[in-house]
Amino acid sequence: MTALEIGAPRGPEEIAAARGLLVDYIAELDENLCFQGVDAELADYPGGYVALLVARLSGKVVGTVALKDRGEGRVEMKRLYVGPDARGTGAGRALAIAVLEAAKTLGYREMVLDTLTRLKPALALYYDLGFKDCGAYYDNPLPGVVYLSKQLGEDA
Protein backbone atom coordinates (compact mmCIF):
# COMPACT_ATOMS: atom_id res chain seq x y z
CA MET A 1 0.00 0.00 0.00
CA THR A 2 1.33 3.40 -0.96
CA ALA A 3 1.47 6.01 1.79
CA LEU A 4 -0.78 9.01 1.33
CA GLU A 5 0.62 12.31 2.56
CA ILE A 6 -1.17 15.66 2.84
CA GLY A 7 0.65 18.96 3.30
CA ALA A 8 1.64 22.31 1.91
CA PRO A 9 3.42 22.24 -1.46
CA ARG A 10 7.19 21.72 -1.16
CA GLY A 11 8.48 24.31 -3.56
CA PRO A 12 7.75 25.54 -7.07
CA GLU A 13 7.55 22.07 -8.65
CA GLU A 14 4.69 21.00 -6.39
CA ILE A 15 2.91 24.33 -6.87
CA ALA A 16 3.20 23.79 -10.63
CA ALA A 17 1.83 20.25 -10.21
CA ALA A 18 -1.12 21.59 -8.18
CA ARG A 19 -1.75 24.24 -10.83
CA GLY A 20 -1.71 21.48 -13.47
CA LEU A 21 -4.34 19.60 -11.48
CA LEU A 22 -6.43 22.78 -11.38
CA VAL A 23 -6.22 22.97 -15.18
CA ASP A 24 -7.32 19.32 -15.36
CA TYR A 25 -10.19 20.03 -12.93
CA ILE A 26 -11.44 22.92 -15.06
CA ALA A 27 -11.27 20.80 -18.20
CA GLU A 28 -13.07 17.88 -16.52
CA LEU A 29 -15.84 20.16 -15.22
CA ASP A 30 -16.44 21.32 -18.81
CA GLU A 31 -18.14 24.51 -17.58
CA ASN A 32 -17.39 28.15 -18.30
CA LEU A 33 -15.83 29.46 -15.08
CA CYS A 34 -15.15 33.00 -16.35
CA PHE A 35 -17.51 34.37 -13.69
CA GLN A 36 -15.01 33.13 -11.07
CA GLY A 37 -12.05 34.89 -12.70
CA VAL A 38 -10.32 31.58 -13.36
CA ASP A 39 -7.86 33.05 -15.90
CA ALA A 40 -6.54 35.51 -13.30
CA GLU A 41 -6.52 32.70 -10.71
CA LEU A 42 -4.32 30.55 -12.94
CA ALA A 43 -2.03 33.48 -13.77
CA ASP A 44 -1.45 34.31 -10.08
CA TYR A 45 -1.70 30.75 -8.71
CA PRO A 46 -1.83 30.27 -5.74
CA GLY A 47 -1.77 34.00 -4.88
CA GLY A 48 -5.48 34.41 -4.13
CA TYR A 49 -5.59 31.70 -1.46
CA VAL A 50 -4.85 31.80 2.26
CA ALA A 51 -3.78 28.13 2.17
CA LEU A 52 -2.98 25.48 -0.41
CA LEU A 53 -2.64 21.78 0.33
CA VAL A 54 -1.62 18.89 -1.85
CA ALA A 55 -2.01 15.12 -1.61
CA ARG A 56 1.01 13.00 -2.45
CA LEU A 57 1.17 9.31 -3.30
CA SER A 58 4.71 7.94 -3.52
CA GLY A 59 5.92 11.53 -3.53
CA LYS A 60 3.83 12.52 -6.56
CA VAL A 61 1.23 15.30 -6.25
CA VAL A 62 -2.13 13.69 -7.09
CA GLY A 63 -4.63 16.07 -5.49
CA THR A 64 -5.11 19.60 -4.29
CA VAL A 65 -7.42 21.90 -2.32
CA ALA A 66 -7.28 25.55 -1.32
CA LEU A 67 -8.85 28.07 1.07
CA LYS A 68 -10.16 31.47 0.05
CA ASP A 69 -10.95 34.12 2.65
CA ARG A 70 -14.56 35.31 2.46
CA GLY A 71 -14.32 37.79 5.35
CA GLU A 72 -15.94 37.93 8.77
CA GLY A 73 -14.56 34.57 9.92
CA ARG A 74 -15.76 32.71 6.81
CA VAL A 75 -13.50 30.75 4.48
CA GLU A 76 -14.31 28.93 1.26
CA MET A 77 -13.01 25.49 0.29
CA LYS A 78 -11.89 25.81 -3.31
CA ARG A 79 -10.82 23.44 -6.04
CA LEU A 80 -10.81 20.13 -4.19
CA TYR A 81 -9.62 17.80 -6.92
CA VAL A 82 -7.92 14.42 -7.15
CA GLY A 83 -6.58 13.21 -10.47
CA PRO A 84 -8.25 10.14 -12.03
CA ASP A 85 -5.32 7.82 -11.27
CA ALA A 86 -5.58 8.51 -7.52
CA ARG A 87 -9.35 8.31 -7.08
CA GLY A 88 -10.46 5.68 -4.61
CA THR A 89 -7.30 6.09 -2.51
CA GLY A 90 -8.88 8.31 0.15
CA ALA A 91 -6.97 11.35 -1.08
CA GLY A 92 -10.11 13.49 -1.52
CA ARG A 93 -11.39 12.78 1.98
CA ALA A 94 -7.93 13.31 3.46
CA LEU A 95 -7.59 16.66 1.67
CA ALA A 96 -11.05 17.78 2.84
CA ILE A 97 -10.32 16.84 6.45
CA ALA A 98 -6.89 18.51 6.33
CA VAL A 99 -8.30 21.73 4.88
CA LEU A 100 -11.00 21.81 7.58
CA GLU A 101 -8.26 21.54 10.20
CA ALA A 102 -6.18 24.22 8.46
CA ALA A 103 -9.18 26.58 8.47
CA LYS A 104 -9.70 26.00 12.20
CA THR A 105 -6.00 26.62 12.86
CA LEU A 106 -6.21 29.88 10.90
CA GLY A 107 -9.09 30.97 13.15
CA TYR A 108 -12.03 30.67 10.77
CA ARG A 109 -15.45 29.96 12.26
CA GLU A 110 -17.30 28.79 9.15
CA MET A 111 -16.39 27.04 5.91
CA VAL A 112 -18.49 27.36 2.78
CA LEU A 113 -18.24 25.75 -0.62
CA ASP A 114 -20.22 25.26 -3.76
CA THR A 115 -20.45 22.20 -5.96
CA LEU A 116 -22.72 20.80 -8.63
CA THR A 117 -25.44 18.22 -8.13
CA ARG A 118 -23.89 16.09 -10.88
CA LEU A 119 -20.68 15.73 -8.82
CA LYS A 120 -22.26 13.06 -6.66
CA PRO A 121 -19.10 11.65 -4.98
CA ALA A 122 -18.05 15.17 -3.93
CA LEU A 123 -21.52 16.01 -2.65
CA ALA A 124 -21.67 12.75 -0.67
CA LEU A 125 -18.25 13.49 0.88
CA TYR A 126 -19.27 16.99 1.95
CA TYR A 127 -22.50 15.80 3.54
CA ASP A 128 -20.60 12.98 5.27
CA LEU A 129 -18.19 15.56 6.72
CA GLY A 130 -21.09 17.52 8.20
CA PHE A 131 -21.67 20.21 5.60
CA LYS A 132 -25.26 21.41 5.32
CA ASP A 133 -27.17 23.17 2.56
CA CYS A 134 -27.07 26.96 2.87
CA GLY A 135 -28.04 30.02 0.92
CA ALA A 136 -25.93 31.40 -1.89
CA TYR A 137 -22.89 33.30 -0.61
CA TYR A 138 -22.00 34.53 -4.12
CA ASP A 139 -23.61 34.42 -7.55
CA ASN A 140 -22.86 31.18 -9.38
CA PRO A 141 -24.83 30.99 -12.65
CA LEU A 142 -24.10 27.31 -13.36
CA PRO A 143 -27.07 24.94 -13.45
CA GLY A 144 -27.38 22.56 -10.51
CA VAL A 145 -25.19 24.54 -8.10
CA VAL A 146 -25.39 23.54 -4.43
CA TYR A 147 -24.11 25.82 -1.65
CA LEU A 148 -22.92 24.19 1.58
CA SER A 149 -21.57 25.39 4.92
CA LYS A 150 -20.08 23.96 8.07
CA GLN A 151 -19.47 25.58 11.42
CA LEU A 152 -15.85 24.85 12.32
CA GLY A 153 -16.53 24.23 15.99
CA GLU A 154 -18.00 20.87 14.94
CA ASP A 155 -15.88 17.76 14.55
CA ALA A 156 -14.50 17.42 11.05
Side-chain angles (χ1 to χ4, degrees), residues 29-110:
L29 270 183
D30 195 26
E31 297 284 357
N32 183 342
L33 299 180
C34 289
F35 69 96
Q36 292 183 346
V38 76
D39 290 337
E41 178 182 347
L42 286 169
D44 187 37
Y45 191 79
Y49 296 126
V50 295
L52 175 67
L53 297 175
V54 296
R56 297 178 199 89
L57 281 173
S58 299
K60 179 184 176 199
V61 173
V62 297
T64 187
V65 67
L67 290 175
K68 180 179 180 178
D69 184 271
R70 284 288 181 174
E72 300 181 9
R74 179 185 266 187
V75 68
E76 182 179 14
M77 183 191 304
K78 296 292 291 182
R79 316 294 188 215
L80 175 61
Y81 180 76
V82 174
D85 293 345
R87 292 184 188 153
T89 64
R93 176 175 292 277
L95 280 165
I97 290 169
V99 85
L100 281 162
E101 288 303 315
K104 287 179 191 177
T105 299
L106 291 168
Y108 289 99
R109 296 183 311 273
E110 179 187 19

Side-chain angles (χ1 to χ4, degrees), residues 80-140:
L80 175 61
Y81 180 76
V82 174
D85 293 345
R87 292 184 188 153
T89 64
R93 176 175 292 277
L95 280 165
I97 290 169
V99 85
L100 281 162
E101 288 303 315
K104 287 179 191 177
T105 299
L106 291 168
Y108 289 99
R109 296 183 311 273
E110 179 187 19
M111 182 176 289
V112 294
L113 63 88
D114 68 328
T115 190
L116 302 173
T117 54
R118 67 182 169 91
L119 301 178
K120 293 184 186 336
L123 202 51
L125 172 63
Y126 301 139
Y127 285 134
D128 190 54
L129 291 175
F131 283 86
K132 303 203 181 327
D133 293 309
C134 69
Y137 56 91
Y138 82 108
D139 183 31
N140 183 331

